[in-house]
Amino acid sequence: MRSVSIIGAGCTRFGERWDDSLRDLVVETGIRALEDANVSGEEIDGLYVGNMSGGRFVEQEHIGALICDCAGLSRLHVPSTRVEAACASGGLALRQGVLAVASGYSDVVIAAGVEKMTDVTGGVAADALAAAADREWECFFGATFPALYAMIARLHMHRYGTTREDLAEVAVKNHFNGSKNPISQYQMEVTVDKVLNSPLVSDPLRVLDCSPITDGASAVVLAPTEEAKKYTDSPIRILASAQGSDTLALHDRRDITTLDASVFAARRAFSMAGLEPKEVDLAEVHDAFTIGEIVAIEDLGFFDKGDGGRATREGLTAIGGEIPINTSGGLKACGHPVGATGIKQAYEMVLQLRGEAGKRQVEGAKVGLTHNVGGCGGTAIVHIMSR
Amino acid sequence: MSTVPRFWRHIPQRYNLVGTHCPKCDEYYYPPRAICPNCRRAAKMEDYRFDGKGTVVTFTTIYNATDDFKRQTPYNLAIIELDEGPRLTGQVICTPEEIEIGMRVKPAFRILGKDGERGIIYYGTKFVPAEGSV
Ligand SMILES: [Zn+2]
C-alpha cells in the first residue's frame, strides 16, 4: 500500500445558503480545493462524494455523475462515486479516496462532501435525518435522532455523574471556537445559562445542544505522498484510515454509553499509525449533539470512560488545553451539512497542521485526528494525519 | 412516512411482541431473527412470545417530534430491557416526572401513530408503569 497525502483542501461557508443550490456549493468548493492543490482536471482520475440524502433534501439522486459534471470533469469521464453512511458519508468518501490512491488504482483523487438541507421544511429534514436510525424498530415507535442521543446522555449522566452543565460546556466551547472560524454557521458565543434556558428538544437535550440544519460542501485532493511535493510545499500525510460498524438500533448495543464502532475504528487507526492517543495534538470529533463529543473523547482514548464531562468542565478540551477538540466549532457551531461534515473535519485539520488556522490555531500542531459518526454509532470513521 | 404494506408487514411481531429463541444458545431475540447472531448456524430458531414485562434502561421525553408524532408531544421514549434479555425502543405512557431509570413496565396495546398524508391509524405496543418499580 502506498502512503497517501492531502495536497489541497477547500470548503464553502457553512450556513443557510438561500441563494445557492447543491450544484453551486459543489462548484464553489471544488474550485477552491483544486486551486489550493495546483492540480489540473486532466490529472484527476477519481472522485468520491459523500452525500446522505440528496433524494430527500433536493430530490436529486445520482450525485456522483452530477458532481463530476459540476466540477467540469464530465468530458474527461472521470469515474465518480457517491458514498453514503448517513452523517459519516463525508468521512467515508475520504476513506474511499485514500484506499483508491493507496492501492495504486488511482493517483490524484478528489474526496468531497455536500449537503443542501434548507430547501425543505424542518419536519421533512428531521424525518430525512431520522432515516439514519432504525426506521422499523426505532422511528416507528416515535424515536427521533435527538431522542436517541438524549437517551445516551441520560444514561451517561446517571452512571458517571456527568452534569447538565457539562453538556452545556461543550456548546460554549464549540461556539467560542466557531466564532473564530470564518466559515462557521454560528459566529456568536453562548453561555452555559443560555444553553440551559434554550427550549427542550428531547430531555435532557435542548436546542443549543443540537447541531443545526446546514448547507455546505467541502473537498480535499489526495495524491501519493511520494508525488505530493510536486503539487504543494505542505502536504498533509494520512497516517491511518479506519472504519467500524455496529448495530443500526441503539437498543441493541453492548453498552448504550459507548459507541463501540468508534472504539474499534480508533484502536485500528492508532495501531496503523503506530501512535498513542496522548501523541495526538488536536481532534475534530462528531458532536452532532453535545453528549456526542463527551462520549467521543472517551471512546477515542483521550479520556477514561465516564471522564469526558469532567475533562470538558476543566477546560482540557479547549484551545490551549491538553487536547483541543473541535477547533472549527465542530458540528455544533460550524454547522452540520451531513454529507460534507467528514470532509470539513479534514479541511480544518489541514489548516491546523499547516499553521493556517488564524485565531483558533493550535500552537505547534503536528498530529491531528478526525472522527465522523453515522447515525448514533452504526458507522464510525477515524483518520489520523500529520504534517 | 411509508406505504401501507410496510406498516402491516410486522404486525404479529409488533402487536404481540413475538420474537425468536435459539434453543442451542438459549438466547432470546426481539425483533425476531432468522439466524442466531451468536452461533450463526441454522440451529432451529423458534418463535417466542414475550409477555413484555421489563425495565427502563434509559429514557427521554420528546418535545420536538417528526410530523407523524407531533400531536403526541410531549411523550416519553425509552429503551426497555425485557425480562428475557432483549432490548427494544418504545413509548412509556406516564408523566415526564414519573419515568425513571430502573422503573418496571408492562405492555399496553395502543394507537402508535397516524400517517399524516393518508390518515391511516396504526397500532402497536406501548408500555405503562408496572407494580414493583424500584
Ligand atoms: Zn444460537
Side-chain angles (χ1 to χ4, degrees):
Chain A
M1 296 286 255
R2 301 193 288 183
S3 168
V4 180
S5 288
I6 298 175
I7 57 168
C11 197
T12 67
R13 187 174 53 73
F14 279 12
E16 294 176 358
R17 303 279 304 256
W18 303 113
D19 294 338
D20 298 303
S21 69
L22 182 142
R23 296 166 196 230
D24 298 329
L25 295 169
V26 168
V27 170
E28 185 183 327
T29 197
I31 291 170
R32 285 187 191 167
L34 292 175
E35 282 179 353
D36 188 54
N38 287 309
V39 162
S40 71
E42 287 75 15
E43 292 172 278
I44 295 161
D45 60 0
L47 215 158
Y48 292 88
V49 58
N51 177 258
M52 174 182 170
S53 198
R56 295 294 304 278
F57 290 125
V58 292
E59 296 183 355
Q60 178 71 60
E61 307 287 13
H62 209 173
I63 304 287
L66 174 73
I67 300 300
C68 180
D69 203 356
C70 291
L73 300 171
S74 53
R75 288 190 188 167
L76 299 167
H77 311 294
V78 175
S80 182
T81 307
R82 170 194 179 173
V83 300
E84 189 274 320
C87 329
S89 300
L92 188 56
L94 174 58
R95 181 166 154 76
Q96 297 312 306
V98 169
L99 295 179
V101 176
S103 71
Y105 264 94
S106 304
D107 285 319
V108 180
V109 165
I110 299 176
V114 63
E115 210 77 54
K116 172 74 192 175
M117 300 173 73
T118 63
D119 277 355
V120 293
T121 62
V124 173
D127 190 60
L129 292 172
D134 189 326
R135 271 282 189 224
E136 308 266 337
W137 301 101
E138 291 180 325
C139 305
F140 185 88
F141 299 99
T144 62
F145 211 54
L148 298 171
Y149 271 96
M151 291 197 288
I152 296 175
R154 176 86 61 187
L155 193 55
H156 202 278
M157 293 163 85
H158 177 82
R159 196 180 283 168
Y160 303 113
T162 305
T163 65
R164 202 19 287 207
E165 286 75 13
D166 293 343
L167 301 179
E169 292 288 0
V170 173
V172 171
K173 169 182 69 70
N174 291 353
H175 272 263
F176 176 82
N177 293 351
S179 75
K180 313 284 181 215
N181 184 355
I183 68 154
S184 179
Q185 177 161 6
Y186 292 129
Q187 295 289 329
M188 89 286 187
E189 294 182 36
V190 299
T191 60
V192 168
D193 267 0
K194 197 171 174 196
V195 178
L196 298 184
N197 289 309
S198 63
L200 275 167
V201 173
S202 197
D203 197 21
L205 299 183
R206 294 171 179 271
V207 166
L208 284 173
D209 289 295
C210 307
S211 56
I213 301 287
T214 309
D215 302 330
S218 192
V220 296
V221 185
L222 305 167
T225 299
E226 56 192 19
E227 286 163 45
K229 287 274 185 188
K230 273 195 340 205
Y231 301 98
T232 174
D233 293 334
S234 50
I236 302 302
R237 194 170 157 199
I238 307 279
L239 302 179
S241 173
Q243 179 179 356
S245 307
D246 206 341
T247 62
L248 192 56
L250 178 65
H251 57 237
D252 283 328
R253 303 276 166 77
R254 178 190 63 81
D255 171 19
I256 285 157
T257 62
T258 303
L259 303 193
D260 276 342
S262 297
V263 175
F264 177 88
R267 280 194 191 139
R268 288 202 91 149
F270 280 117
S271 109
M272 224 177 277
L275 292 171
E276 301 278 333
K278 63 176 184 300
E279 294 175 274
V280 171
D281 296 314
L282 76 163
E284 287 284 305
V285 309
H286 200 89
D287 61 328
F289 301 92
T290 49
I291 183 64
E293 176 167 317
I294 287 175
V295 168
I297 60 179
E298 299 166 352
D299 295 345
L300 296 169
F302 298 134
F303 299 98
D304 291 339
K305 189 45 67 189
D307 223 15
R310 180 197 61 84
T312 307
R313 191 188 321 137
E314 292 178 0
L316 306 182
T317 57
I319 295 170
E322 200 174 285
I323 168 125
I325 301 290
N326 284 329
T327 56
S328 71
L331 288 55
K332 172 75 251 316
C334 190
H336 184 25
V338 279
T341 284
I343 303 287
K344 181 225 74 180
Q345 294 177 324
Y347 169 78
E348 172 70 6
M349 208 47 76
V350 167
L351 295 187
Q352 286 283 357
L353 297 174
R354 282 179 182 168
E356 295 173 358
K359 288 181 188 160
R360 60 187 195 288
Q361 181 65 46
V362 173
E363 291 307 320
K366 276 203 185 80
V367 177
L369 179 148
T370 61
H371 164 252
N372 194 195
V373 172
C376 58
T379 301
I381 317 274
V382 172
H383 285 93
I384 301 175
M385 48 193 92
S386 76
R387 66 175 150 95
Chain B
M1 184 174 155
S2 202
T3 59
V4 175
R6 189 166 176 189
F7 293 143
W8 298 92
R9 200 171 291 143
H10 292 293
I11 278 193
Q13 292 88 340
R14 286 201 175 108
Y15 277 25
N16 301 320
L17 288 176
V18 172
T20 47
H21 173 238
C22 173
K24 194 173 166 221
C25 309
D26 196 25
E27 286 223 34
Y28 294 87
Y29 299 103
Y30 184 85
R33 288 175 180 271
I35 296 166
C36 171
N38 200 29
C39 61
R40 273 181 224 108
R41 255 166 284 140
K44 274 206 171 153
M45 294 285 263
E46 54 195 26
D47 281 356
Y48 178 83
R49 183 173 170 159
F50 295 92
D51 76 358
K53 290 207 185 76
T55 306
V56 171
V57 175
T58 182
F59 68 95
T60 179
T61 304
I62 297 177
Y63 292 84
N64 201 325
T66 54
D67 290 344
D68 287 348
F69 287 89
K70 218 159 240 170
R71 289 179 315 121
Q72 301 181 31
T73 56
Y75 59 91
N76 300 319
L77 189 82
I79 290 178
I80 292 156
E81 186 167 302
L82 299 174
D83 290 346
E84 292 88 344
R87 289 173 173 179
L88 52 79
T89 298
Q91 291 186 29
V92 177
I93 306 165
C94 65
T95 66
E97 291 74 30
E98 278 175 285
I99 188 166
E100 57 183 351
I101 289 174
M103 180 181 178
R104 295 284 297 158
V105 293
K106 62 183 183 185
F109 185 67
R110 294 289 165 90
I111 291 176
L112 258 180
K114 194 167 154 187
D115 178 15
E117 283 169 32
R118 299 175 193 83
I120 298 161
I121 292 170
Y122 50 100
Y123 295 84
T125 303
K126 290 188 180 181
F127 292 82
V128 293
E131 295 303 309
S133 287
V134 281

Short mmCIF file of all heavy atoms in Angstrom, two decimals, chain A residues 338-369:
data_model
loop_
_atom_site.label_atom_id
_atom_site.label_comp_id
_atom_site.label_asym_id
_atom_site.label_seq_id
_atom_site.Cartn_x
_atom_site.Cartn_y
_atom_site.Cartn_z
N VAL A 338 -24.77 17.23 6.57
CA VAL A 338 -24.37 15.87 6.94
C VAL A 338 -23.34 15.22 6.01
O VAL A 338 -22.35 14.69 6.50
CB VAL A 338 -25.59 14.96 7.17
CG1 VAL A 338 -26.15 15.19 8.56
CG2 VAL A 338 -26.70 15.19 6.15
N GLY A 339 -23.55 15.27 4.70
CA GLY A 339 -22.60 14.62 3.80
C GLY A 339 -21.25 15.30 3.73
O GLY A 339 -20.24 14.69 3.39
N ALA A 340 -21.18 16.59 4.07
CA ALA A 340 -19.95 17.36 3.95
C ALA A 340 -19.10 17.34 5.23
O ALA A 340 -17.90 17.61 5.19
CB ALA A 340 -20.27 18.81 3.59
N THR A 341 -19.73 17.03 6.37
CA THR A 341 -19.06 17.17 7.66
C THR A 341 -17.73 16.43 7.75
O THR A 341 -16.73 17.00 8.21
CB THR A 341 -20.02 16.73 8.79
OG1 THR A 341 -20.98 17.78 8.98
CG2 THR A 341 -19.29 16.47 10.09
N GLY A 342 -17.68 15.19 7.32
CA GLY A 342 -16.44 14.40 7.44
C GLY A 342 -15.29 15.00 6.65
O GLY A 342 -14.12 14.89 7.04
N ILE A 343 -15.60 15.64 5.53
CA ILE A 343 -14.55 16.29 4.72
C ILE A 343 -14.17 17.63 5.35
O ILE A 343 -13.00 18.01 5.37
CB ILE A 343 -15.03 16.49 3.27
CG1 ILE A 343 -15.45 15.16 2.64
CG2 ILE A 343 -13.94 17.18 2.45
CD1 ILE A 343 -14.32 14.23 2.30
N LYS A 344 -15.14 18.34 5.90
CA LYS A 344 -14.83 19.60 6.58
C LYS A 344 -13.89 19.37 7.74
O LYS A 344 -13.02 20.18 8.02
CB LYS A 344 -16.10 20.29 7.07
CG LYS A 344 -15.82 21.62 7.76
CD LYS A 344 -16.60 21.81 9.05
CE LYS A 344 -16.04 20.98 10.18
NZ LYS A 344 -16.78 21.15 11.42
N GLN A 345 -14.06 18.24 8.44
CA GLN A 345 -13.15 17.92 9.55
C GLN A 345 -11.72 17.80 9.03
O GLN A 345 -10.77 18.31 9.65
CB GLN A 345 -13.58 16.61 10.21
CG GLN A 345 -14.94 16.69 10.90
CD GLN A 345 -15.36 15.34 11.48
OE1 GLN A 345 -15.09 14.28 10.91
NE2 GLN A 345 -16.03 15.37 12.62
N ALA A 346 -11.56 17.15 7.86
CA ALA A 346 -10.22 17.02 7.27
C ALA A 346 -9.70 18.39 6.82
O ALA A 346 -8.51 18.69 6.98
CB ALA A 346 -10.26 16.05 6.09
N TYR A 347 -10.59 19.22 6.28
CA TYR A 347 -10.22 20.58 5.85
C TYR A 347 -9.67 21.38 7.04
O TYR A 347 -8.61 22.02 6.95
CB TYR A 347 -11.44 21.27 5.25
CG TYR A 347 -11.29 22.75 5.01
CD1 TYR A 347 -10.58 23.23 3.92
CD2 TYR A 347 -11.88 23.66 5.88
CE1 TYR A 347 -10.45 24.59 3.70
CE2 TYR A 347 -11.76 25.03 5.68
CZ TYR A 347 -11.04 25.49 4.58
OH TYR A 347 -10.91 26.84 4.38
N GLU A 348 -10.40 21.32 8.17
CA GLU A 348 -9.94 22.03 9.37
C GLU A 348 -8.56 21.51 9.81
O GLU A 348 -7.68 22.29 10.18
CB GLU A 348 -10.95 21.86 10.51
CG GLU A 348 -10.51 22.39 11.87
CD GLU A 348 -10.44 23.92 11.95
OE1 GLU A 348 -10.85 24.58 10.97
OE2 GLU A 348 -9.97 24.44 12.99
N MET A 349 -8.40 20.18 9.73
CA MET A 349 -7.13 19.60 10.18
C MET A 349 -5.99 20.04 9.27
O MET A 349 -4.88 20.31 9.74
CB MET A 349 -7.27 18.07 10.21
CG MET A 349 -6.36 17.42 11.23
SD MET A 349 -6.40 18.22 12.86
CE MET A 349 -7.97 17.62 13.50
N VAL A 350 -6.25 20.12 7.97
CA VAL A 350 -5.23 20.59 7.03
C VAL A 350 -4.80 22.02 7.41
O VAL A 350 -3.60 22.32 7.51
CB VAL A 350 -5.75 20.55 5.57
CG1 VAL A 350 -4.84 21.33 4.63
CG2 VAL A 350 -5.89 19.10 5.10
N LEU A 351 -5.77 22.90 7.68
CA LEU A 351 -5.43 24.28 8.05
C LEU A 351 -4.59 24.29 9.34
O LEU A 351 -3.57 24.99 9.43
CB LEU A 351 -6.69 25.11 8.27
CG LEU A 351 -7.59 25.36 7.06
CD1 LEU A 351 -8.71 26.34 7.43
CD2 LEU A 351 -6.80 25.90 5.87
N GLN A 352 -5.03 23.51 10.34
CA GLN A 352 -4.32 23.49 11.62
C GLN A 352 -2.89 22.97 11.45
O GLN A 352 -1.94 23.54 12.00
CB GLN A 352 -5.08 22.60 12.62
CG GLN A 352 -6.36 23.23 13.17
CD GLN A 352 -6.10 24.29 14.23
OE1 GLN A 352 -4.96 24.56 14.62
NE2 GLN A 352 -7.17 24.92 14.69
N LEU A 353 -2.73 21.89 10.69
CA LEU A 353 -1.40 21.27 10.57
C LEU A 353 -0.46 22.09 9.68
O LEU A 353 0.76 22.01 9.79
CB LEU A 353 -1.53 19.83 10.06
CG LEU A 353 -2.31 18.89 11.01
CD1 LEU A 353 -2.52 17.53 10.37
CD2 LEU A 353 -1.63 18.74 12.36
N ARG A 354 -1.06 22.92 8.82
CA ARG A 354 -0.24 23.85 8.03
C ARG A 354 0.07 25.13 8.81
O ARG A 354 0.83 25.97 8.35
CB ARG A 354 -1.00 24.27 6.77
CG ARG A 354 -1.04 23.28 5.64
CD ARG A 354 -1.88 23.94 4.56
NE ARG A 354 -2.09 23.12 3.39
CZ ARG A 354 -3.00 23.44 2.45
NH1 ARG A 354 -3.72 24.55 2.57
NH2 ARG A 354 -3.16 22.67 1.41
N GLY A 355 -0.61 25.32 9.94
CA GLY A 355 -0.44 26.56 10.70
C GLY A 355 -1.22 27.72 10.11
O GLY A 355 -0.84 28.88 10.27
N GLU A 356 -2.33 27.41 9.41
CA GLU A 356 -3.11 28.46 8.74
C GLU A 356 -4.48 28.67 9.36
O GLU A 356 -5.41 29.13 8.69
CB GLU A 356 -3.29 28.07 7.26
CG GLU A 356 -1.99 28.04 6.47
CD GLU A 356 -2.15 27.49 5.05
OE1 GLU A 356 -3.28 27.10 4.68
OE2 GLU A 356 -1.14 27.45 4.34
N ALA A 357 -4.64 28.31 10.66
CA ALA A 357 -5.97 28.35 11.26
C ALA A 357 -6.26 29.67 11.98
O ALA A 357 -7.25 29.78 12.72
CB ALA A 357 -6.17 27.17 12.21
N GLY A 358 -5.42 30.66 11.77
CA GLY A 358 -5.71 32.02 12.27
C GLY A 358 -5.90 32.08 13.77
O GLY A 358 -5.09 31.56 14.53
N LYS A 359 -7.01 32.72 14.19
CA LYS A 359 -7.24 32.99 15.62
C LYS A 359 -7.51 31.72 16.43
O LYS A 359 -7.54 31.76 17.65
CB LYS A 359 -8.46 33.91 15.78
CG LYS A 359 -8.21 35.33 15.35
CD LYS A 359 -9.47 36.16 15.58
CE LYS A 359 -9.35 37.55 14.99
NZ LYS A 359 -10.66 38.16 14.80
N ARG A 360 -7.77 30.60 15.75
CA ARG A 360 -8.03 29.36 16.50
C ARG A 360 -6.88 28.37 16.35
O ARG A 360 -7.02 27.19 16.65
CB ARG A 360 -9.36 28.76 16.05
CG ARG A 360 -9.40 28.41 14.60
CD ARG A 360 -10.77 27.96 14.14
NE ARG A 360 -10.64 27.31 12.85
CZ ARG A 360 -10.39 27.91 11.69
NH1 ARG A 360 -10.23 29.23 11.66
NH2 ARG A 360 -10.26 27.23 10.58
N GLN A 361 -5.72 28.85 15.88
CA GLN A 361 -4.57 27.98 15.66
C GLN A 361 -4.10 27.32 16.95
O GLN A 361 -3.94 27.97 17.97
CB GLN A 361 -3.41 28.79 15.06
CG GLN A 361 -2.16 27.97 14.77
CD GLN A 361 -2.38 26.92 13.68
OE1 GLN A 361 -2.98 27.20 12.64
NE2 GLN A 361 -1.94 25.70 13.93
N VAL A 362 -3.89 26.00 16.89
CA VAL A 362 -3.27 25.27 17.99
C VAL A 362 -1.76 25.32 17.76
O VAL A 362 -1.27 24.81 16.75
CB VAL A 362 -3.77 23.81 18.02
CG1 VAL A 362 -3.01 23.00 19.06
CG2 VAL A 362 -5.28 23.77 18.30
N GLU A 363 -1.05 25.94 18.69
CA GLU A 363 0.39 26.14 18.53
C GLU A 363 1.12 24.80 18.39
O GLU A 363 0.91 23.89 19.19
CB GLU A 363 0.97 26.92 19.72
CG GLU A 363 0.53 28.38 19.79
CD GLU A 363 0.81 29.15 18.48
OE1 GLU A 363 1.88 28.93 17.87
OE2 GLU A 363 -0.07 29.95 18.06
N GLY A 364 1.97 24.70 17.39
CA GLY A 364 2.81 23.51 17.22
C GLY A 364 2.07 22.24 16.84
O GLY A 364 2.60 21.15 17.06
N ALA A 365 0.88 22.36 16.27
CA ALA A 365 0.09 21.17 15.93
C ALA A 365 0.82 20.32 14.88
O ALA A 365 1.15 20.81 13.81
CB ALA A 365 -1.28 21.59 15.42
N LYS A 366 1.05 19.07 15.21
CA LYS A 366 1.77 18.16 14.29
C LYS A 366 0.91 16.98 13.87
O LYS A 366 0.96 16.54 12.74
CB LYS A 366 3.03 17.61 14.98
CG LYS A 366 4.25 18.50 14.91
CD LYS A 366 5.52 17.65 15.10
CE LYS A 366 6.78 18.49 15.16
NZ LYS A 366 6.99 19.09 16.49
N VAL A 367 0.15 16.44 14.85
CA VAL A 367 -0.66 15.25 14.57
C VAL A 367 -2.11 15.54 14.92
O VAL A 367 -2.41 16.00 16.03
CB VAL A 367 -0.17 14.03 15.39
CG1 VAL A 367 -1.06 12.81 15.14
CG2 VAL A 367 1.28 13.70 15.07
N GLY A 368 -3.02 15.27 13.98
CA GLY A 368 -4.44 15.52 14.23
C GLY A 368 -5.28 14.29 13.91
O GLY A 368 -4.89 13.44 13.10
N LEU A 369 -6.43 14.20 14.57
CA LEU A 369 -7.35 13.08 14.36
C LEU A 369 -8.72 13.62 13.99
O LEU A 369 -9.17 14.63 14.55
CB LEU A 369 -7.41 12.24 15.64
CG LEU A 369 -8.34 11.01 15.66
CD1 LEU A 369 -7.74 9.92 16.56
CD2 LEU A 369 -9.75 11.34 16.11
#
